[in-house]
Amino acid sequence: MIRDLILKNRSYRRFYQEVSIEFATLRELVDLARLSASAGNVQPLKYILSCNPKKNALIFPHLAWAGYLKDWPGPCEGERPSAYIIIVGDTEIGQSFGCDHGIVAQSILLGATEKGLGGCMIGSIQREGLREVLKIPERYKILLVLALGRPRETVVIETVGPNGDIKYWRDSEGVHHVPKRPLNDIILDES
Ligand SMILES: Cc1cc2nc3c(=O)[nH]c(=O)nc-3n(C[C@H](O)[C@H](O)[C@H](O)COP(=O)(O)O)c2cc1C
């Protein structure tokens, strides 16, 4: 079952924008983050939630989408995320956030997938612009943005070929293909 959930939990970048997500749902997802592992159990992460179209529209222009799809500027109006969870590090609690934000991001996205939603971690963020439009105090370091919605695209996993190319691509039907390295290539020692 965990395998099925992980297989379904792809990075989705096109959504049914008209399908809204309630604050209560975002709170449930952040609660999964709250229960996740944290280095030294310091728990320095905080969350900014958005599920209203006006706030979503402020966030969207500060995100970069699918760097390998050179001809695609990101989701068009109507296919944009209906919610965001912005993960920030509280510098009054900790100075280094290690991999805590990766762990909580995965917890949130797995929870979203289980609810029939989907999303994408966005690390390529115009941080200062986002800080300004949302009036995020300097105290909080912007770490990751999670874009969320009801997925409107098919994403399939492929195997990285002998040429080693890991770039994802989109075919003529709009299906998004994601190459993953074979298991034998990533296990260094099993003696
Ligand atoms: C830390 C991190 C940052 C990422 N940042 C971006 C991003 O800025 N924009 C984007 O479109 N995708 C981003 N992604 C999504 C990756 O491109 C995606 O995970 C990868 O293509 C593999 O696809 P999959 O998640 O479906 O396995 C990010 C993923 C991670 C883990």
Side-chain angles (χ1 to χ4, degrees), residues 17 54 77 81 91 104:
Q17 192 173 336
K54 276 193 186 155
E77 187 60 46
T91 60
V104 299

Side-chain angles (χ1 to χ4, degrees), residues 21-31 46-52 55-56 59 82-88 108 134 136 146 148:
I21 298 178
E22 305 292 315
F23 268 124
T25 304
L26 297 182
R27 288 180 64 91
E28 274 179 50
L29 296 176
V30 173
D31 204 36
K46 303 279 172 74
Y47 303 87
I48 296 166
L49 312 184
S50 175
C51 58
N52 106 29
K55 193 168 171 188
N56 288 349
I59 297 169
S82 30
Y84 296 94
I85 295 176
I86 302 173
I87 305 171
V88 300
I108 289 171
L134 294 187
I136 302 172
L146 305 182
L148 295 164

Side-chain angles (χ1 to χ4, degrees), residues 10-11 13 64-66 120-124 144 155 168 178 180:
R10 303 273 48 89
S11 292
R13 300 179 179 87
W65 298 85
C120 188
M121 297 182 205
I122 307 274
S124 184
L144 270 179
V155 179
Y168 47 76
V178 183
K180 297 287 182 188

Side-chain angles (χ1 to χ4, degrees), residues 51-185:
C51 58
N52 106 29
K54 276 193 186 155
K55 193 168 171 188
N56 288 349
L58 291 177
I59 297 169
F60 179 79
H62 301 283
L63 309 177
W65 298 85
Y68 294 142
L69 305 183
K70 295 293 175 208
D71 299 330
W72 188 64
C76 60
E77 187 60 46
E79 295 190 341
R80 291 182 180 164
S82 30
Y84 296 94
I85 295 176
I86 302 173
I87 305 171
V88 300
D90 187 341
T91 60
E92 291 188 9
I93 296 181
Q95 287 303 316
S96 94
F97 305 103
C99 54
D100 279 23
H101 43 299
I103 291 168
V104 299
Q106 184 75 348
S107 295
I108 289 171
L109 289 176
L110 287 173
T113 302
E114 193 188 50
K115 290 176 183 299
L117 301 171
C120 188
M121 297 182 205
I122 307 274
S124 184
I125 308 163
Q126 292 170 21
R127 286 178 168 73
E128 282 323 302
L130 184 63
R131 183 182 295 290
E132 202 174 309
V133 290
L134 294 187
K135 301 183 173 57
I136 302 172
E138 289 294 331
R139 162 179 175 181
Y140 301 107
K141 183 169 178 198
I142 300 171
L143 298 170
L144 270 179
V145 175
L146 305 182
L148 295 164
R150 173 93 55 197
R152 193 179 192 157
E153 67 179 343
T154 304
V155 179
V156 293
I157 290 187
E158 308 289 351
T159 302
V160 170
N163 70 1
D165 191 357
I166 45 68
K167 291 191 192 76
Y168 47 76
W169 77 93
R170 202 175 279 171
D171 68 24
S172 55
E173 313 280 285
V175 173
H176 185 89
H177 298 259
V178 183
K180 297 287 182 188
R181 299 188 198 280
L183 189 58
N184 282 342
D185 286 8

